[in-house]
Amino acid sequence: RESGVAPARARRVSPPTRRFARFAPFPTTPKRTSPRATSASDAADDGTRKKADPSSSSSSRAASTSADRSDSVRVESLTVAQLKAVLRSRGARVGGNKSELVSRVAAGGAVTADALVSSAGATSRLEPRAAAARRRSSSHNSKKPPPVMRWEVTDPPLPPRAPPLASDVPALRVVSWNVNGIRALLQKDPDVLDRVAREENADVFVLQETKIQAKQVDEIDARVLAEYPHRIWNCSTARLGYSGTALFSREAPLNAWTDPFVATEKRFVATEKRSSRQTSQTSDDEKLELELKKNECAFKHEGRVVVAEFPRVFVVGAYVPNSGAELARLGARTNAWDPSAARYLRALEAKKPVVYCGDLNVAARDVDVWGNHRANAKSAGFTKEEREAFAKHYVGLGGGSENDENVLDE
């Protein structure tokens, strides 16, 4: 007005304040005036001031510098979310604790209130896009067909195999596999059993831990190993969907059995004491009978053994009981199952050779477990009791007795 030029619009000068204090809580941003209108009015005001006092340019620059300094934000006062937003707007890494974020932001220069607001807006705009991308990715992955499993061993490499026998030498090729749930296996790869049997040229295919019930046998039986017409399924009835074994063969077996022996032990100390307290008036023979009944039920009806007799050999497939995470079945395993199974195998071996295969749930030697042997000595399958029982009953002449023939007769 002193220069005779009217300003574009009246502007009331407000006392200097810290602008970033208006933008709280973060990242909510206040409504701002149109950039175009603001820039036009500011340009008019700047032109007016230039015409009014051309000699005040140096003082204006000094004032703007001081205003920029007052407009800068203390980095230490920012929250973690604000620090990450600033770093993200600069294209820098956003990982780390708050002190690392503060040092990274400070190294990149001062942070102004406008930069803080713009970085918050950019973050809020990116969040819906990232969520949409995640939804598209999850929906795309859900439509993918199940992957086909590839059975390739690369580390360590497969051990060298013996050369094939001559064509005129009678032989029986047996493949054994713990499938850990045949339904889950077929869901991942419906043709895996047929493919493995074909690649290995198996004459007999034995499975353990099928985990199916008797009512599901027909459905699964129609889907697997069509080239093996002779099959034996042994499902657990003591606990549904648990354990279970199966045997498939191209040649018709002469005989077949499931769970042909009962794992019994003559005495359990705990059972003996309990029986003596409960039946104080009974005789010693009656006490022993109670103990045998108690121990006969240890692994009964769990579908753990399948046996097929062929002209030249017996094939016995077994899923040996696991002692459990707390070794709750260790005593029954080593004192009942192992002796009973060994007696049965020796009785069969007296008639013709025996192929004993399956999941034996034991690492008999140190080389069978990679390292950490002292800690693993308390784990099922590698305890001192299990290893000693395996060496005693299965290796060499262990497990034989003069009553082996009676085992088969029973």
Side-chain angles (χ1 to χ4, degrees):
R1 291 176 182 175
E2 294 176 358
S3 60
V5 179
R9 63 182 179 89
R11 186 173 184 180
R12 182 179 179 182
V13 180
S14 59
T17 57
R18 296 176 67 86
R19 293 176 57 192
F20 75 93
R22 294 182 297 166
F23 307 113
F26 184 86
T28 304
T29 58
K31 294 183 179 180
R32 304 181 67 190
T33 57
S34 173
R36 183 177 301 174
T38 304
S39 60
S41 60
D42 291 344
D45 293 342
D46 291 342
T48 303
R49 281 193 290 271
K50 286 180 181 180
K51 293 180 181 179
D53 192 3
S55 62
S56 62
S57 59
S58 58
S59 60
S60 300
R61 284 195 297 269
S64 63
T65 303
S66 60
D68 291 341
R69 289 176 181 175
S70 64
D71 193 39
S72 62
V73 180
R74 263 187 90 249
V75 177
E76 293 80 2
S77 64
L78 300 180
T79 64
V80 173
Q82 291 172 322
L83 293 169
K84 288 186 176 181
V86 173
L87 289 173
R88 195 176 289 111
S89 65
R90 294 176 179 178
R93 188 172 68 89
V94 297
N97 54 32
K98 183 173 181 178
S99 60
E100 295 175 352
L101 296 177
V102 168
S103 60
R104 210 173 299 140
V105 170
V111 180
T112 62
D114 290 337
L116 189 62
V117 173
S118 61
S119 61
T123 304
S124 62
R125 288 194 300 271
L126 288 175
E127 286 177 353
R129 296 180 183 177
R134 286 194 296 269
R135 287 195 299 270
R136 288 195 300 270
S137 176
S138 60
S139 61
H140 179 67
N141 294 334
S142 62
K143 296 178 182 178
K144 286 185 177 180
V148 176
M149 291 182 291
R150 300 177 61 187
W151 307 101
E152 296 180 1
V153 180
T154 58
D155 185 18
L158 287 172
R161 295 193 176 187
L165 298 174
S167 58
D168 57 342
V169 177
L172 188 74
R173 194 175 183 88
V174 181
V175 173
S176 175
W177 188 6
N178 183 323
V179 294
N180 191 23
I182 191 170
R183 289 180 297 168
L185 178 70
L186 297 178
Q187 184 177 3
K188 294 178 181 177
D189 192 346
D191 303 322
V192 62
L193 292 177
D194 297 87
R195 188 167 63 253
V196 172
R198 183 172 57 255
E199 292 175 356
E200 297 295 336
N201 192 25
D203 298 307
V204 179
F205 207 131
V206 186
L207 304 179
Q208 300 87 42
E209 212 169 355
T210 54
K211 293 184 178 180
I212 62 172
Q213 304 178 31
K215 64 182 180 181
Q216 299 167 329
V217 167
D218 293 338
E219 175 193 353
I220 302 298
D221 189 75
R223 297 170 55 187
V224 298
L225 300 172
E227 298 181 2
Y228 297 79
H230 308 285
R231 45 195 67 199
I232 309 166
W233 291 91
N234 189 14
C235 302
S236 171
T237 56
R239 179 179 169 186
L240 300 181
Y242 171 74
S243 184
T245 50
L247 185 147
F248 305 83
S249 64
R250 290 174 175 169
E251 179 184 356
L254 302 178
N255 292 293
W257 301 271
T258 58
D259 295 331
F261 62 88
V262 177
T264 60
E265 182 190 5
K266 290 185 178 181
R267 286 185 182 275
F268 270 129
V269 176
T271 306
E272 181 182 358
K273 291 180 180 178
R274 185 163 54 252
S275 299
S276 62
R277 289 198 303 268
Q278 294 177 352
T279 59
S280 57
Q281 303 300 326
T282 58
S283 63
D284 292 340
D285 294 337
E286 291 174 343
K287 292 178 183 178
L288 178 60
E289 182 181 358
L290 289 174
E291 291 170 8
L292 290 176
K293 286 182 179 179
K294 176 71 176 178
N295 297 323
E296 283 178 357
C297 298
F299 307 107
K300 199 172 183 180
H301 306 305
E302 291 188 357
R304 293 188 174 274
V305 182
V306 287
V307 183
E309 179 185 4
F310 296 97
R312 296 184 178 87
V313 69
F314 288 100
V315 176
V316 181
Y319 177 44
V320 176
N322 191 297
S323 297
E326 303 296 333
L327 303 180
R329 300 183 109 182
L330 177 62
R333 153 75 186 274
T334 57
N335 298 323
W337 176 275
D338 287 335
S340 302
R343 285 195 299 268
Y344 178 76
L345 295 175
R346 295 301 181 189
L348 291 180
E349 198 174 32
K351 296 186 174 183
K352 61 180 71 173
V354 177
V355 176
Y356 183 47
C357 60
D359 185 353
L360 305 185
N361 263 319
V362 64
R365 300 178 297 173
D366 289 347
V367 72
D368 297 328
V369 174
W370 182 86
N372 205 11
H373 295 102
R374 181 175 298 179
N376 286 326
K378 300 179 182 179
S379 302
F382 199 64
T383 62
K384 178 181 178 182
E385 294 82 356
E386 289 168 309
R387 300 170 70 188
E388 290 180 349
F390 184 84
K392 175 182 177 181
H393 297 294
Y394 298 104
V395 179
L397 299 178
S401 69
E402 58 183 7
N403 298 323
D404 284 346
E405 293 296 336
N406 297 334
V407 174
L408 291 181
D409 293 340
E410 294 175 0

